[in-house]
Amino acid sequence: MYFGVKFVQRLLSSLASSRLKGLKCFKYVADLDRRQDAQLEQSLKTFILSQRGLEELELLSYQIQNTDFIMDLCEAFPLLHNFCGNLSYFTREQFRATLTVLANGWPALRRIGIARTGFEDRSLREETMEPGDIAALARLPGVEDARFWFDCHFKLDINDIRHMGEAWSRLKSLVLSAWQPNPPLSHLIPFANSFPVIEQLIAPFDCNSPLPLAIDVSARFSTLKTLWILDAVIEANTDGSLIAEFLSMVCGPNVKIQMTEDVMDLPQMFEERRDWVDDSFENREKLDDILRRIEAFHRVQEGIRRMA
């Protein structure tokens, strides 16, 4: 059943006047277009501001269209510890400025999810974002869960990973979805070096890039439990056994590794279940073979360890 913007406005107005007692978390889920979201802004803001005890706010389904919206929320809820928001059609300058407001206004954030969307603006989609665009969030040392979804390209190099690890030493979960080019698979080594307590890593990697020999793998994840490699396209001339050997060395036997050609849609960014993955790709057989090889490498390593 479809409910239009007028219905949602009336509902929010009614809820705002009733002041829901003890509401700690508000998650907005709807399917309105950008124009309708603009019409809804005042009603949504009035409702949120009426709930003075909020600690968690998830607005990925709502297209935030100006920095003032974030500023008003920061002033009302200085102790917020979970925020997810979709910054819609923001220029890079607006995006950076808004994240600065967010970081200054919510220093206690432990979980943050940021999307930058611009589905119909070709100039925005062809841009290449980089970690410098989210540098303001480095002021949030308590972040344990960070998720980013960009409707454009995103560049990530080794130094960027190191700087992120220095800023977020408590990070347990990192989810990243963006357009190609993907970082080389070998960048898992600086991830392992830089994030001492990370338990979940979900991101696209280039599985066809050069890999170090097993003896040259200089780090291994010590706390990682789950690794999801998105956009894992395996070219015909790529040796799957080298990928398997590398992953077995950098991850160890206790990490659940999954690989898929699929990419993550925006609504899936905070889903803990991963049954949205499409396993119908022609590449699936190659990926399954790599996963079987990883298990075989782990069995060999365990056998050697027991004999030592």
Side-chain angles (χ1 to χ4, degrees), residues 21-245:
K21 186 176 181 180
L23 187 66
K24 299 291 186 182
C25 175
F26 175 65
K27 181 176 182 178
Y28 175 82
V29 179
D31 189 20
L32 302 177
D33 61 32
R34 188 167 183 265
R35 178 183 58 82
Q36 292 171 317
D37 277 346
Q39 296 173 355
L40 190 64
E41 178 176 326
Q42 190 56 50
S43 298
L44 180 60
K45 185 191 296 185
T46 298
F47 166 73
I48 293 173
L49 295 180
S50 71
Q51 308 304 315
R52 307 305 296 183
L54 282 178
E55 299 175 358
E56 303 182 50
L57 189 55
E58 299 190 9
L59 302 175
L60 284 177
S61 296
Y62 175 75
Q63 299 178 74
I64 299 170
Q65 299 174 37
N66 59 76
T67 304
D68 288 345
F69 186 90
I70 295 292
M71 189 176 299
D72 291 342
L73 297 182
C74 287
E75 291 177 357
F77 307 104
L79 300 181
L80 201 75
H81 62 74
N82 174 15
F83 176 76
C84 312
N86 175 3
L87 306 183
S88 177
Y89 291 82
F90 278 51
T91 66
R92 291 180 77 175
E93 292 73 21
Q94 291 172 323
F95 184 81
R96 289 184 178 212
T98 302
L99 292 193
T100 298
V101 169
L102 187 155
N104 290 337
W106 287 324
L109 280 180
R110 297 198 300 270
R111 189 186 201 206
I112 185 166
I114 297 294
R116 179 182 182 249
T117 58
F119 299 105
E120 298 173 1
D121 190 325
R122 185 172 180 179
S123 64
L124 292 179
R125 299 185 73 179
E126 291 180 348
E127 283 186 342
T128 299
M129 302 280 285
E130 56 188 31
D133 293 307
I134 60 173
L137 302 181
R139 305 172 192 174
L140 303 173
V143 168
E144 298 177 358
D145 188 328
R147 311 193 180 204
F148 302 99
W149 194 97
F150 298 117
D151 188 31
C152 61
H153 307 286
F154 187 76
K155 179 183 177 183
L156 187 67
D157 63 29
I158 291 176
N159 286 330
D160 295 326
I161 296 169
R162 289 171 178 163
H163 292 154
M164 291 169 65
E166 292 170 358
W168 297 329
S169 60
R170 303 177 189 177
L171 196 71
K172 295 181 180 179
S173 175
L174 177 62
V175 179
L176 173 66
S177 182
W179 290 16
Q180 295 181 353
N182 298 330
L185 190 61
S186 60
H187 278 22
L188 285 173
I189 295 176
F191 269 111
N193 268 322
S194 304
F195 292 92
V197 297
I198 196 165
E199 297 178 359
Q200 174 177 259
L201 175 60
I202 301 176
F205 288 95
D206 180 4
C207 295
N208 304 292
S209 53
L211 292 171
L213 297 174
I215 59 173
D216 295 325
V217 175
S218 57
R220 170 179 279 192
F221 289 103
S222 59
T223 58
L224 192 68
K225 298 177 181 178
T226 303
L227 171 66
W228 276 86
I229 300 176
L230 307 177
D231 200 15
V233 178
I234 310 297
E235 296 176 356
N237 60 347
T238 297
D239 188 343
S241 64
L242 294 180
I243 296 175
E245 183 179 31

